[in-house]
Amino acid sequence: MDEGESSTNSPSRPWESFNTVFTNAKAGMEGVDKEKVQRVVYEMSKGSKYFQNEERKEALMKQKIEHMRDRCAKLSSSDLSNHQKVVDRRILELEATRDLSRIWLHVDMDAFYAAVETLSNPSLKGKPMAVGGLSMISTANYEARKFGVRAAMPGFIARKLCPDLIFVPVDFPKYTHYSDLTRKVFRNYDPNFIAGSLDEAYLDITDVCQERGLSGGEIAEELRSSVHSETGGLTCSAGVAANRLLAKVCSDINKPNGQFVLQNDRSTVMAFISSLPIRKIGGIGKVTEHILKDALGIKTCEDMVLKGSLLYALFTQSSADFFLSVGLGLGKTDTPEVRSRKSISSERTFTATGDERLLSSKLAEIAEMLSDDMKKEGLTARTLTLKLKTASFEIRSRAVSLQRYTCSSEDILKHATKLLKAELPVSIRLIGLRMSQFNEESRYSDPSQGTITKFIVQKDSSRQNMDDNDSFDLDASKDCLSNDERLSLSYASHDTSYDQLRDVEYEEQSVTPNQESKKEEKRPQVLEGDALLRKHKEYKSDTSAQKTEAVSVFSQMEPLVWVDGYKCNLCGIELPPSFVEERQEHSDFHLAQRLQNEESGPSSSTTPTSKRRILGKEKANSKPKKQKSNQKDGSKHIPIHTFFTKSNQNPNDDETQRK
């Protein structure tokens, strides 16, 4: 039965309207009895926190659909006529960008985690098996999918669908090893391939095809054979097309261990895309699918072109452009420029628990993994974000901003533990840690190359008494800083929301390059030299008190919400829902910006009482400072001549140079 007809289902069969992520078809599930799966998921979930959360999300989605229907009903024929003119013009403009000269290949490993486990343990071959446990499944092999078992399904539900299901624990180091083997093969065909995840990648094989005189299909066949040989038996599926959007769709057609080639011909592309269900497109998830189908009657990609006037009347231009591009079979064909990552994170899901010792153990594991990842990439950062998902699927996000950059697992764990303890007691089923606000200098510079800041600080340090409690050892060979740095604790209490199971339309956030650059101009910079010099001396002036008084709790902070799923309520930026990674970066950006504003702003009225007493004591012991006449108010930068002046001054007079 069509999911869009859920409202007409019989009250005696309530499971027919219970449409969760678990009931959506996936490769290898074509012959599954969907009604049976729905009934089992419904019966096993009813009354649980998950069930209640699904009901809330379902109600919210219905509200959005009704809102869209109301807006649609208010459109006049004149409105639609005007918007149709816009559509006709945009079609011509988009068609002018169509590039059929490139050959893109999307390769997707078949049931990757499960296949790796079967390769390691051949006795699992031919048996229904899932990677994960009773709480959650990471993936399932094709034998298990025949019963309706799939990724992101609780293991106890999967066991009900398939009583003989075998569970294998997750082993990420093993999967990473085999992923590296596949990428070794990919580099032979495209050194600049785009990794979508551990088990998928996009390759521009245009040059390889021309140099070797082979077709895209022949290269795909050869690559799949090479992956099988290099990994010792893993299979993959491939799609070949003129752009990345189409190549990804094609790779799913003949799964597992198959391939599909879409010829670089406009008529062929249009015939292929016209009957394609909109859910097959990356970036169109459950919520957007239901809004398009139930409110506007758009079910196929061709409908997006036929009803383009409605899309441009009801959605933002960027979103409507995305939908229209999909309807025309247009996608990215250029190799994207390498972008610096804005954050790095690690998270784990487990059986809900309120045991503080167990939660601390999980937190330590995640902190260690995050630290290892940062060290591998040579990253240090100064903003730590803790993500929690409670047993009732409530999402909480808390952040702390350090005064110094770090990648140390001890540092991460110490500050994450403080954030976690502030939330206890609570039953938690997911913990995640994210580091952002990277030190750009350490990211791009040679770790062995000294800097002028290090030289000056080291010279100045040599003048101080060795017994000074505030002196520190600056090891130029390490990017990870010591544990004893002073914090400017800025807790960001985001609004409570409920997880949308990674439905990209309404969860993830994005920002355009222009918007990012504009905001970064406003963002106060904290240079490495600033941080080191602040740490270098005792905080005897009001500067120290003001800096420490930046401690506050964002209890009144306005939450980030995507109006109609596309427009950021904080800055007004509008972007289509397909920008998954960028939307997360945009969320991090707003969080980091607020933390920076708190650090640079006046003392917050929400400072905890215990902190105020400490701050008051520090302020009482501080000396009055002199205002430098030629320095602008609010400046966050120290003039270069100040650095050299500092190195020759008496330490007691040092603070008069700072604002």
Side-chain angles (χ1 to χ4, degrees):
M1 180 175 290
D2 193 329
E3 292 179 0
E5 299 172 4
S6 59
S7 60
T8 62
N9 291 325
S10 170
S12 62
R13 303 165 70 87
W15 57 81
E16 291 182 347
S17 62
F18 190 61
N19 300 302
T20 73
V21 68
F22 310 138
T23 59
N24 294 327
K26 195 173 176 68
M29 300 178 68
E30 291 78 9
V32 173
D33 184 345
K34 183 176 178 181
E35 182 178 351
K36 176 185 175 182
V37 175
Q38 282 182 298
R39 184 174 69 252
V40 170
V41 172
Y42 177 83
E43 293 173 349
M44 296 291 289
S45 304
K46 188 175 182 180
S48 67
K49 295 292 185 181
Y50 165 77
F51 186 88
Q52 296 171 7
N53 187 49
E54 286 297 307
E55 286 188 318
R56 284 191 288 266
K57 291 194 296 182
E58 187 76 16
L60 179 61
M61 184 175 68
K62 289 181 179 179
Q63 289 179 4
K64 292 177 179 178
I65 292 174
E66 288 302 318
H67 175 65
M68 189 64 72
R69 284 174 175 167
D70 291 342
R71 292 180 60 195
C72 185
K74 294 177 181 178
L75 293 173
S76 65
S77 57
S78 176
D79 293 331
L80 293 177
S81 177
N82 290 332
H83 284 294
Q84 185 60 48
K85 294 178 182 178
V86 175
V87 173
D88 294 338
R89 186 185 74 251
R90 289 299 292 148
I91 287 178
L92 293 176
E93 294 172 347
L94 291 172
E95 278 289 353
T97 68
R98 187 185 296 274
D99 184 1
L100 298 174
S101 65
R102 311 303 297 178
I103 304 175
W104 280 91
L105 183 150
H106 179 260
V107 56
D108 191 6
M109 303 301 294
D110 299 323
F112 184 53
Y113 294 176
V116 169
E117 295 297 345
T118 302
L119 193 63
S120 303
N121 182 6
S123 65
L124 295 173
K125 189 173 183 178
K127 300 177 182 178
M129 178 266 289
V131 176
L134 290 176
S135 59
M136 188 61 63
I137 290 175
S138 294
T139 192
N141 64 6
Y142 288 94
E143 287 76 12
R145 293 183 188 185
K146 296 176 182 177
F147 295 87
V149 178
R150 56 158 295 166
M153 174 180 283
F156 65 90
I157 294 179
R159 178 63 62 80
K160 182 71 174 180
L161 291 170
C162 180
D164 297 327
L165 185 66
I166 300 172
F167 288 106
V168 178
V170 176
D171 188 348
F172 282 105
K174 186 191 299 182
Y175 310 145
T176 301
H177 167 72
Y178 280 96
S179 177
D180 291 340
L181 294 179
T182 64
R183 294 180 180 186
K184 180 180 177 182
V185 175
F186 300 159
R187 290 189 184 94
N188 295 332
Y189 297 89
D190 180 8
N192 301 315
F193 74 90
I194 305 169
S197 62
L198 282 177
D199 64 342
E200 68 171 323
Y202 296 89
L203 292 81
D204 184 349
I205 58 174
T206 308
D207 295 340
V208 171
C209 290
Q210 293 176 351
E211 291 170 2
R212 300 177 56 185
L214 298 176
S215 66
E218 291 172 326
I219 292 294
E221 193 77 49
E222 180 183 300
L223 180 143
R224 291 174 47 237
S225 177
S226 298
V227 168
H228 187 272
S229 300
E230 183 70 29
T231 59
L234 296 182
T235 64
C236 61
S237 299
V240 180
N243 58 60
R244 295 197 291 275
L245 180 143
L246 294 174
K248 182 174 177 62
V249 174
C250 291
S251 67
D252 196 53
I253 293 177
N254 288 323
K255 264 186 165 294
N257 196 23
Q259 64 184 56
F260 183 88
V261 179
L262 181 64
Q263 298 300 322
N264 287 21
D265 176 76
R266 185 185 182 282
S267 60
T268 303
V269 169
M270 294 304 295
F272 173 81
I273 202 75
S274 62
S275 59
L276 196 68
I278 57 176
R279 189 61 183 272
K280 291 288 185 179
I281 302 299
I284 297 181
K286 174 184 174 182
V287 177
T288 298
E289 178 193 26
H290 276 277
I291 288 177
L292 293 176
K293 289 175 62 176
D294 300 346
L296 307 180
I298 297 176
K299 299 180 180 180
T300 66
C301 294
E302 183 182 36
D303 292 337
M304 292 182 173
V305 179
L306 298 178
K307 298 187 178 183
S309 58
L310 286 176
L311 296 175
Y312 276 86
L314 301 173
F315 292 89
T316 63
Q317 180 174 337
S318 57
S319 299
D321 282 347
F322 167 72
F323 293 138
L324 191 59
S325 296
V326 168
L328 296 172
L330 300 174
K332 300 292 185 180
T333 59
D334 58 322
T335 300
E337 296 181 1
V338 177
R339 295 182 306 165
S340 299
R341 64 156 72 235
K342 301 299 181 182
S343 64
I344 184 170
S345 62
S346 182
E347 66 180 39
R348 289 292 179 268
T349 301
F350 43 85
T351 303
T353 179
D355 188 324
E356 186 172 345
R357 287 180 298 177
L358 181 57
L359 292 175
S360 297
S361 175
K362 293 288 185 183
L363 189 65
E365 293 176 9
I366 298 171
E368 188 66 36
M369 288 188 293
L370 180 57
S371 174
D372 290 344
D373 291 342
M374 294 181 70
K375 291 174 182 177
K376 288 178 183 177
E377 299 194 29
L379 299 172
T380 58
R382 63 184 300 266
T383 297
L384 171 66
T385 303
L386 171 70
K387 174 186 175 182
L388 301 175
K389 182 187 292 184
T390 67
S392 60
F393 291 84
E394 173 190 356
I395 300 296
R396 300 182 185 180
S397 182
R398 306 290 184 260
V400 58
S401 182
L402 288 66
Q403 282 193 349
R404 297 173 63 184
Y405 297 97
T406 185
C407 66
S408 164
S409 60
E410 291 80 7
D411 287 351
I412 295 173
L413 179 60
K414 180 176 70 175
H415 308 313
T417 299
K418 293 179 182 178
L419 296 177
L420 176 62
K421 286 185 176 180
E423 301 301 313
L424 298 177
V426 64
S427 182
I428 298 171
R429 69 188 313 272
L430 178 147
I431 294 179
L433 292 174
R434 182 170 66 249
M435 292 292 288
S436 55
Q437 284 187 279
F438 294 126
N439 182 357
E440 298 298 325
E441 181 178 336
S442 66
R443 183 196 297 214
Y444 298 112
S445 64
D446 182 353
S448 63
Q449 178 67 44
T451 64
I452 188 171
T453 302
K454 293 179 180 179
F455 171 77
I456 296 169
V457 174
Q458 285 172 332
K459 284 288 186 181
D460 201 14
S461 295
S462 65
R463 299 172 182 268
Q464 290 200 41
N465 189 309
M466 295 302 293
D467 295 330
D468 187 351
N469 292 332
D470 283 337
S471 66
F472 63 98
D473 179 23
L474 184 64
D475 185 353
S477 66
K478 293 182 180 180
D479 287 327
C480 304
L481 303 180
S482 60
N483 299 339
D484 60 352
E485 71 269 17
R486 187 171 304 178
L487 295 179
S488 172
L489 292 173
S490 301
Y491 295 97
S493 301
H494 289 290
D495 66 315
T496 298
S497 62
Y498 290 90
D499 188 18
Q500 300 296 313
L501 293 177
R502 301 194 65 76
D503 186 22
V504 299
E505 307 81 302
Y506 293 98
E507 276 194 348
E508 309 293 352
Q509 287 118 17
S510 65
V511 63
T512 62
N514 290 338
Q515 187 74 13
E516 179 71 23
S517 61
K518 183 184 296 183
K519 289 182 177 295
E520 289 194 354
E521 291 175 2
K522 301 178 182 179
R523 186 186 305 177
Q525 288 187 328
V526 181
L527 303 179
E528 184 184 20
D530 295 344
L532 292 174
L533 288 170
R534 281 198 298 272
K535 175 63 182 176
H536 183 53
K537 301 290 184 179
E538 288 189 18
Y539 284 75
K540 296 181 180 180
S541 68
D542 285 346
T543 303
S544 172
Q546 290 177 358
K547 199 67 181 179
T548 313
E549 285 183 75
V551 183
S552 68
V553 179
F554 286 92
S555 58
Q556 304 298 325
M557 185 175 72
E558 182 182 1
L560 188 152
V561 177
W562 288 92
V563 181
D564 292 329
Y566 301 95
K567 183 176 181 179
C568 175
N569 67 314
L570 299 180
C571 64
I573 188 172
E574 300 177 352
L575 284 158
S578 62
F579 289 68
V580 179
E581 180 181 349
E582 290 84 348
R583 284 194 169 196
Q584 182 60 53
E585 291 178 2
H586 190 53
S587 176
D588 292 342
F589 170 77
H590 277 302
L591 173 59
Q593 187 180 48
R594 285 163 176 163
L595 293 173
Q596 288 281 25
N597 290 340
E598 278 294 301
E599 292 171 14
S600 60
S603 176
S604 172
S605 60
T606 58
T607 304
T609 304
S610 59
K611 293 287 183 183
R612 287 175 183 161
R613 287 197 293 267
I614 297 173
L615 300 180
K617 184 177 180 180
E618 288 187 11
K619 196 165 185 177
N621 294 331
S622 64
K623 295 182 179 181
K625 66 175 181 179
K626 295 181 181 179
Q627 181 69 28
K628 193 165 185 177
S629 59
N630 63 342
Q631 191 170 344
K632 294 181 180 180
D633 291 343
S635 174
K636 293 297 175 185
H637 302 281
I638 301 175
I640 187 66
H641 65 78
T642 306
F643 282 96
F644 293 99
T645 304
K646 276 181 170 292
S647 65
N648 296 319
Q649 283 182 336
N650 186 301
N652 293 330
D653 298 330
D654 181 58
E655 294 299 328
T656 62
Q657 300 297 322
R658 296 289 308 278
K659 179 175 177 178

